[in-house]
Amino acid sequence: MATRPASKAAPARRAAVPPASGKKALLISGGAPNSSLVAGALVAFIDRGISFDVISTAGAGALMGLLYAAPAGGDPRAALTQWQNVGVDDAIYDWFPINYKVFMKPGAAAASYRNALLASPFTRPLFDTFSSSYMQGPWADWLRLGFAAMSPTDLTANSRGMCAHLPFAAQAVDFSAVPNIAPEFYINAYNTTRGEMTIWGKDAITVEHMQAAFAFPMIYPPYRIGDDEYIEGSAIDTINFKALVSDDPAAPGIHRDLDTLVVFDILGLDKLIRVPRSLYDSWVHSIINPLVQLSKDDVRLFELQHNIDAATGKPKRKLLKVNLTAHIPENHWPKMLDWSASNMKLLFDAGYQAGQTFCDEHPALLTPVASPAASESRSRAAPIDAAVSADATMETQ
């Protein structure tokens, strides 16, 4: 498979040279149910003043990364903290284990219905997820369930997916600010029309690209942009290593001068594979279980094949994995993939502790710099020296 930038000027092909730039990248894997772990860890990074030169994301990692880099309202800490509140109250979830606050009915009528609820001053606090006025608690979740049940839908046996494409994306992310954020930023999606992976840089990312990056089969239908249809990139490539740092002359990475990669991997965990508790839980595991090994293989392949200097046998770059699950109680693991309010909050707290621990372990390596949010009130890290034009989009074929 070859990687080629879709920019006007392709990066020069250079011989592999051990980088020594001091540049850092954050790679965030897919994985929606336990994404609250990532949110908590990112809040810890914000509190410690740490930033990155490059952020590369896949699947649900795209939302977490954009909440960190370009949240609506300009406050990444508040936006990431708010994410833990998308869980369903436990009294409801124990009876009806569906997150109707995240996964919503498809169709034009359903979209109009949601827009009307958002427009009304009486119901807006129930649905403006990232607002400070967002209502929480069991009664608010009961009301949301009632409104969700009354929503129209165009779902039929011929539908290609069950849910609307991330309806709250525009509420969560300030897409107009994305091109101006300090770090280079990437999301991926698999182009099913052409049979190749596509990676969009920050100058190309819109709400549509975000929705395409989330189009996991069956949950969401493929997302059409122009003449092409896309599914979630994380279903194919859970962590996008090669596109950044590959030394393959036929498909050179666009940030080969990076010398530290920090990885948030919430899929490559063997402990996620366990006996399901219900029919619904079985369906969730049918999605997650194959991704566990895929994610582990992605990391291992990068370590053994793409990150070893052939001349010295030593790693070309530091690869640092954040142990996001270190603070999760052993008896809680069967609930790790739940969308319950208690699980989302527990994972957020565990992720925050993991982020703080990581910062303590690497104080010299991760020198504190500015927050990544595009805000005039905050100083920002200098943009990295891009190897391609700012609108670089890569396709793997």
Side-chain angles (χ1 to χ4, degrees):
M1 299 176 72
T3 303
R4 56 180 179 85
S7 56
K8 294 180 180 178
R13 295 177 180 177
R14 297 164 293 178
V17 176
S21 64
K23 293 179 180 177
K24 307 180 295 288
L26 174 65
L27 295 96
I28 309 176
S29 78
N34 46 7
S35 56
S36 196
L37 279 168
V38 172
L42 289 174
V43 169
F45 280 9
I46 291 170
D47 287 350
R48 299 293 283 267
I50 291 171
S51 189
F52 296 88
D53 301 291
V54 180
I55 300 175
S56 181
T57 66
L63 177 59
M64 296 301 101
L66 287 170
L67 289 178
Y68 176 64
D75 187 341
R77 194 184 197 285
L80 288 162
T81 302
Q82 188 70 3
W83 180 247
Q84 66 183 310
N85 297 321
V86 302
V88 175
D89 184 81
D90 287 49
I92 301 172
Y93 194 85
D94 290 344
W95 164 70
F96 186 66
I98 304 293
N99 193 344
Y100 49 87
K101 296 161 71 172
V102 171
F103 303 103
M104 304 177 191
K105 294 179 182 178
S112 297
Y113 176 77
R114 287 191 297 271
N115 289 337
L117 293 174
L118 270 173
S120 169
F122 301 103
T123 53
R124 183 176 180 84
L126 288 169
F127 300 100
D128 194 3
T129 307
F130 293 89
S131 166
S132 59
S133 63
Y134 184 66
M135 291 178 61
Q136 301 177 40
W139 288 111
D141 280 359
W142 276 113
L143 287 171
R144 291 185 187 96
L145 176 58
F147 281 116
M150 291 187 291
S151 171
T153 180
D154 67 359
L155 185 68
T156 70
N158 293 321
S159 297
R160 298 193 295 167
M162 297 187 295
C163 302
H165 291 99
L166 210 65
F168 55 85
Q171 295 172 241
V173 177
D174 182 357
F175 287 95
S176 66
V178 173
N180 300 317
I181 61 177
E184 296 299 318
F185 196 101
Y186 302 96
I187 63 177
N188 70 351
Y190 189 78
N191 187 321
T192 58
T193 304
R194 303 185 184 187
E196 59 192 22
M197 189 69 74
T198 300
I199 300 168
W200 294 295
K202 63 182 181 181
D203 274 14
I205 295 172
T206 67
V207 65
E208 288 190 320
H209 298 93
M210 175 85 155
Q211 290 168 326
F214 261 74
F216 195 92
M218 189 174 178
I219 298 177
Y220 303 104
Y223 195 88
R224 179 175 289 275
I225 299 178
D227 295 328
D228 295 342
E229 290 191 319
Y230 297 86
I231 63 171
E232 181 175 320
S234 181
I236 311 297
D237 187 357
T238 59
I239 305 174
N240 181 36
F241 286 114
K242 290 194 298 179
L244 294 184
V245 295
S246 173
D247 287 318
D248 182 354
I254 58 175
H255 294 291
R256 296 161 68 207
D257 58 345
L258 289 165
D259 61 16
T260 301
L261 306 179
V262 177
V263 179
F264 284 3
D265 179 13
I266 54 176
L267 286 176
L269 307 168
D270 284 332
K271 291 172 73 173
L272 289 176
I273 302 176
R274 54 183 58 242
V275 176
R277 293 169 291 148
S278 64
L279 184 62
Y280 173 78
D281 200 35
S282 296
W283 175 68
V284 172
H285 279 274
S286 74
I287 297 172
I288 296 296
N289 289 358
L291 295 177
V292 169
Q293 191 60 47
L294 179 62
S295 186
K296 289 173 61 180
D297 288 346
D298 282 348
V299 175
R300 192 63 176 156
L301 180 64
F302 175 78
E303 289 178 315
L304 296 178
Q305 180 174 338
H306 300 288
N307 200 40
I308 297 296
D309 189 311
T312 66
K314 297 180 179 180
K316 300 173 185 175
R317 301 165 184 87
K318 300 181 184 73
L319 180 64
L320 305 177
K321 305 172 194 174
V322 181
N323 187 0
L324 292 168
T325 61
H327 301 279
I328 296 176
E330 187 64 31
N331 62 0
H332 188 76
W333 274 85
K335 299 181 179 181
M336 265 278 288
L337 299 177
D338 287 1
W339 284 98
S340 65
S342 62
N343 183 53
M344 296 293 284
K345 293 182 185 301
L346 185 149
L347 295 185
F348 181 89
D349 291 341
Y352 184 84
Q353 289 179 278
Q356 290 285 359
T357 299
F358 181 85
C359 293
D360 290 338
E361 293 172 347
H362 304 281
L365 179 62
L366 298 177
T367 304
V369 290
S371 167
S375 171
E376 293 182 1
S377 64
R378 297 182 179 136
S379 61
R380 297 183 298 177
I384 66 170
D385 182 16
V388 295
S389 62
D391 64 338
T393 299
M394 296 190 311
E395 298 175 350
T396 302
Q397 63 178 16

